Amino acid sequence: MEEEKKTNKLEETEAAPIEAKKETIHFPWAIAIIIGVLIVCMVVFFVLAKVFVAKEAAASTSQIISSSL
């Protein structure tokens, strides 16, 4: 048994083989989807805010023009 342990140890210059079956790194799809949805919501709210500000500015401009006449 001791001989097996000695042969299983790696030399300093050797590299350990990586077994694909044991790798547990997975891409976090749930987090990516949540972040994507949040970014889309931010863009939509930004566009809506710009549209409402533009409508309000146009309405106030038309009120100023009509009051000056």
Side-chain angles (χ1 to χ4, degrees), residues 6-49:
K6 288 181 183 177
T7 57
N8 287 341
K9 289 184 180 179
L10 296 174
E11 298 281 332
E12 287 184 22
T13 57
E14 289 184 70
I18 298 174
E19 295 180 23
K21 296 177 184 176
K22 291 187 177 182
E23 290 195 26
T24 58
I25 298 172
H26 300 288
F27 188 77
W29 286 108
I31 295 173
I33 290 170
I34 291 170
I35 290 173
V37 168
L38 290 175
I39 290 173
V40 169
C41 288
M42 285 173 31
V43 169
V44 167
F45 287 129
F46 181 78
V47 169
L48 289 176

